[in-house]
Amino acid sequence: MLTLATANVNGIRAAYRRGMDAWIASRTPDVLLLQEVRAPDSVVNDLLEGWHVAHQACDIKGRAGVAVASRLPVSAVRVGLGAGWAGEPEPPVDTGRWVEADLELPDGGRLTVVSAYIHSGTVSQPETMVAKYAYLEKVTARLRELAATGEKVVLAGDLNIAHRNVDIKNWKGNLKSAGFLPEERAYVDVWLDQVGLVDLGRVHGGEGPGPFTWWSWRGRAFDNDSGWRIDYQLATPSLAERAVKVEVDRAPSHEERWSDHAPLVVTYDV
């Protein structure tokens, strides 16, 4: 069995101070896919000592950042999705948002994992939505390439899109909010219906509502389970059929959270 966990850590140093290391020790995942790491290579490698680590820091200090940490050997790493497009705003949108790693399975096979952190975007700032849609186009193109290989592939991370009404507690109040716009949700439709990926959180989580993976730090959102399901593991069919358990590691209480996101953990029979 292989345990693969994805989590937006909301700053890895802060997460460790709040108890992320204790969660890792008790959960013992084989692979960690992290987003919003917000730290340089030296800090990430120090905190994840003993792991095989692939990390893309953001060009802007203290922002974004994605990482793959694996107990399995890593045979290849690919970072980013290219330089962008003519007229791309500065700084580049592809920084600290995408890292791929090919992992060597015990049976000699290969598993490709992707840790992704998609832009949140802000409706009142149209340029941020332009950047988000441009990046989603690049993501879609890359997913088509990965799916075409027929290999075991999983895209995991904070995609900052709630796909369906059951993926957000207050969906009626967020119909015009970034993260729940029809244009954003349509990209997930393409990934599932055309590219052929399987949304393991939904397939194994039932028809909902939830289980949610993100709750605001503010107010009583966590206590009231007023959240969003924006963290995913999207797997190619050859891998999805091997998923035997999907869990959201929701903290017991608001005070015991080490991030505003909860880890999404999948156990695969590989």
Side-chain angles (χ1 to χ4, degrees):
M1 296 293 176
L2 176 79
T3 303
L4 191 153
T6 183
N8 178 318
V9 298
N10 199 12
I12 193 169
R13 284 169 287 201
Y16 264 70
R17 288 195 298 270
R18 295 185 180 114
M20 178 181 169
D21 54 342
W23 172 82
I24 292 174
S26 63
R27 202 24 145 147
T28 63
D30 300 295
V31 183
L32 279 171
L33 305 180
L34 307 178
Q35 304 85 45
E36 250 191 301
V37 175
R38 303 206 308 249
D41 287 345
S42 57
V43 170
V44 175
N45 290 328
D46 182 54
L47 291 176
L48 295 173
E49 185 179 3
W51 295 77
H52 302 286
V53 177
H55 173 232
Q56 186 197 33
C58 183
D59 290 348
I60 309 172
K61 186 178 180 180
R63 296 280 298 276
V66 287
V68 173
S70 174
R71 299 295 191 188
L72 300 175
V74 177
S75 59
V77 172
R78 295 171 294 278
V79 174
L81 288 175
W85 73 98
E88 180 175 315
E90 293 294 336
V93 297
D94 185 11
T95 173
R97 297 194 178 272
W98 187 277
V99 60
E100 300 177 17
D102 295 337
L103 312 182
E104 298 178 15
L105 296 174
D107 66 358
R110 184 179 74 189
L111 169 63
T112 297
V113 299
V114 182
S115 181
Y117 176 47
I118 306 298
H119 310 66
S120 54
T122 304
V123 172
S124 61
Q125 297 176 285
E127 69 278 7
T128 67
M129 297 307 299
V130 170
K132 183 171 187 175
Y133 291 131
Y135 197 69
L136 288 169
E137 287 291 330
K138 295 202 289 184
V139 168
T140 301
R142 181 56 182 155
L143 290 178
R144 291 188 190 278
E145 293 174 347
L146 289 170
T149 67
E151 299 284 348
K152 297 180 181 70
V153 180
V154 60
L155 164 69
D158 177 4
L159 305 186
N160 268 313
I161 302 171
H163 184 213
R164 296 165 51 190
N165 293 354
V166 292
D167 295 323
I168 176 173
K169 181 69 171 286
N170 181 23
W171 66 268
K172 291 182 179 179
N174 283 283
L175 289 170
K176 297 183 179 180
S177 299
F180 198 57
L181 299 175
E183 297 85 351
E184 297 170 284
R185 298 159 68 188
Y187 280 95
V188 183
D189 289 334
V190 170
W191 301 340
L192 302 183
D193 300 337
Q194 296 183 25
V195 179
L197 301 181
V198 179
D199 180 357
L200 297 177
R202 177 51 61 218
V203 170
H204 289 255
E207 285 303 307
F212 305 125
T213 63
W214 175 83
W215 305 261
S216 172
W217 284 117
R218 299 188 298 272
R220 298 182 60 82
F222 184 80
D223 296 333
N224 297 329
D225 201 24
S226 184
W228 296 50
R229 188 178 76 94
I230 55 177
D231 301 88
Y232 294 80
Q233 291 200 34
L234 304 181
T236 52
S238 61
L239 179 62
E241 66 185 13
R242 295 177 176 271
V244 297
K245 185 185 294 185
V246 180
E247 302 166 282
V248 176
D249 277 9
R250 191 181 192 275
S253 69
H254 182 280
E255 291 73 24
E256 294 170 87
R257 303 166 73 193
W258 46 265
S259 172
D260 51 352
H261 295 250
L264 175 64
V265 185
V266 179
T267 302
Y268 297 94
D269 183 359
V270 295

